[in-house]
Amino acid sequence: MPINPLLVRARELWEDLARVPVSFPPVGGVSVAVSPESGLCPVGWIGVVTLGGSAIATAPSKDAALVVRDELAALPVAAFADAEAVREVLSVARVLGPAALSYVSTAGFRPVEHGALTGEQLPGSHPDLLSLERLASHEDAAEAALQEIDSPHSCSASTVK
């Protein structure tokens, strides 16, 4: 069965954010890489991303990567998004997430009502995005890292008639 091109692209983006060579394995697996500067998570943390039934993870050191690889193997990939399930196998001080993201291709995205919504792609330095970033907590703004994203961002505005 061919893999969805949108899933392929989303995986490529997350693999790039790992900042070291790592690839999503076949369904049900997890690939763990050592990446002290991983973009999957805050520096010094363990980052895990699941897409299409498999996962990649980054750890800040070789020792941490070995522990993560061994302990996550005890869980089904679907359980990686359950903070309590992860805490049962990994001794962690704090959990950030999980976050559920949705991806849609440009061709697949359609406003609900013609003309009711408008969409515009903005650079990360756009004043409207920077204003939105200022409204977020420091932690959320750091996690979003708008200035580091080199793909277009989307911003939708509703029109009231």
Side-chain angles (χ1 to χ4, degrees):
M1 183 168 143
I3 191 162
N4 179 326
L6 187 59
L7 177 60
V8 170
R9 181 66 181 127
R11 284 179 168 181
E12 288 171 348
L13 293 170
W14 284 104
E15 290 166 355
D16 286 346
L17 281 172
R19 298 193 179 122
V20 295
V22 65
S23 298
F24 283 86
V27 172
V30 60
S31 292
V32 180
V34 177
S35 180
E37 301 296 322
S38 173
L40 304 185
C41 56
V43 173
W45 287 47
I46 295 164
V48 182
V49 175
T50 62
L51 282 170
S54 65
I56 59 171
T58 57
S61 68
K62 186 177 180 180
D63 289 343
L66 291 172
V67 170
V68 169
R69 186 176 296 115
D70 291 345
E71 299 303 327
L72 288 183
L75 293 176
V77 171
F80 293 1
D82 179 347
E84 292 308 313
V86 171
R87 283 184 169 183
E88 286 181 21
V89 297
L90 285 175
S91 176
V92 294
R94 187 165 170 228
V95 174
L96 180 63
L101 305 176
S102 298
Y103 297 90
V104 65
S105 68
T106 302
F109 179 76
R110 298 286 182 254
V112 174
E113 191 178 304
H114 182 69
L117 297 173
T118 59
E120 182 179 354
Q121 291 185 339
L122 304 172
S125 60
H126 191 279
D128 290 348
L129 286 176
L130 295 175
S131 176
L132 180 61
E133 185 179 45
R134 284 190 295 275
L135 294 173
S137 69
H138 175 71
E139 187 176 81
D140 287 342
E143 183 179 355
L146 289 177
Q147 299 305 315
E148 295 178 23
I149 300 172
D150 58 9
S151 61
H153 316 320
S154 293
C155 179
S156 297
S158 297
T159 321
V160 180
K161 294 183 181 184

